[in-house]
Amino acid sequence: MRLWIAEKPSMARDIAMAIGGDVQSHDGYMTVGRDDVVTFCIGHLLTQAGPEAYDPAHKQWDLSLLPIVPQRWLMEPAPKTSKQLKVVGKLVRQARSVVNCGDAAREGQMIVDEILDHFDYEGPADRLWLQEMNTSAIRTAISRMKSNGEYQNLYASALARSRADWLIGMNLTRAYTMAWQTAGNRGPLHIGRVQTPTLCMVV
């Protein structure tokens, strides 16, 4: 079975129609002909684990425990889409080959690749790089697919962005919040890699 993993349901439907053949819809995926299966993500099906996943002591906000720097990064199912993750995971385990059909950008690359990593997929994988979503353009892109391995720098870039967000958000939010509360204030003080400098620019 060749498994096509799209970033969203609408993209999966378009790809299934472009592959050609008898398309049958199922719960969370479509079969196309005798050998192709098209499934989809709903954005990120996995999310960064919280600090307590690395050490139960991190449930408590304690300055002496900062900074929290994971040695091995952990991912968890996104709560709202855990059902679809199970569908995709079952299909990945059955696949003889996979096609990454994420959006043509680093985040689209990551959305599919992080699933392949999560389920320890080691088989052949191609990359469908779509700039347009009409049938003709999809079929042209299918005829020009490259190895997914050629796009791993994009995946690494997206991972770096995601982990930087986590490191800054988790550590600085805790540090600034505790300093904020020590000064007699209430509530959390959220710090974000993008949100905080952007807010400063607006102010």
Side-chain angles (χ1 to χ4, degrees):
M1 175 187 75
R2 178 170 57 170
L3 178 64
W4 306 67
I5 307 177
E7 186 167 332
K8 53 184 78 75
S10 60
M11 181 185 293
R13 287 190 294 271
D14 291 341
I15 291 169
M17 296 304 296
I19 293 171
D22 182 31
V23 178
Q24 299 289 328
S25 294
H26 304 272
D27 188 11
Y29 67 97
M30 289 162 277
T31 55
V32 186
R34 299 176 61 183
D35 193 49
D36 289 293
V37 174
V38 184
T39 189
F40 52 86
C41 304
I42 308 169
H44 286 277
L45 297 182
L46 295 163
T47 185
Q48 294 273 6
E52 62 277 4
Y54 298 99
D55 185 337
H58 292 316
K59 286 184 178 180
Q60 302 298 322
W61 288 29
D62 185 340
L63 277 175
S64 68
L65 297 176
L66 300 180
I68 304 166
V69 182
Q71 298 302 304
R72 178 177 175 272
W73 292 85
L74 302 176
M75 302 295 288
E76 297 177 339
K80 293 183 179 179
T81 54
S82 58
K83 179 182 176 181
Q84 184 61 17
L85 179 64
K86 291 178 182 178
V87 171
V88 176
K90 182 178 179 180
L91 294 171
V92 167
R93 293 187 185 99
Q94 297 172 351
R96 61 168 174 77
S97 66
V98 167
V99 181
N100 180 338
C101 308
D103 284 352
R106 69 178 185 179
E107 209 66 22
Q109 186 72 33
M110 180 181 179
I111 283 173
V112 176
D113 278 352
E114 66 186 0
I115 289 173
L116 300 183
D117 280 351
H118 185 71
F119 291 108
D120 298 319
Y121 177 78
E122 296 181 349
D126 292 318
R127 180 63 158 105
L128 181 63
W129 193 261
L130 294 172
Q131 302 285 3
E132 300 176 67
M133 290 309 300
N134 61 73
T135 300
S136 176
I138 295 172
R139 287 177 176 166
T140 298
I142 289 173
S143 71
R144 297 175 179 173
M145 288 193 300
K146 297 180 180 180
S147 168
N148 192 51
E150 295 188 28
Y151 296 85
Q152 290 309 289
N153 283 344
L154 274 182
Y155 180 31
S157 174
L159 277 177
R161 190 276 313 154
S162 175
R163 292 172 181 178
D165 285 348
W166 192 99
L167 288 168
I168 291 172
M170 291 297 180
N171 286 295
L172 294 189
T173 293
R174 289 185 177 211
Y176 275 79
T177 294
M178 285 183 277
W180 172 254
Q181 292 175 350
T182 299
N185 300 292
R186 292 184 177 181
L189 194 60
H190 295 286
I191 305 295
R193 181 183 65 87
V194 176
Q195 106 182 7
T196 301
T198 302
L199 177 61
C200 288
M201 291 170 65
V202 172
V203 171

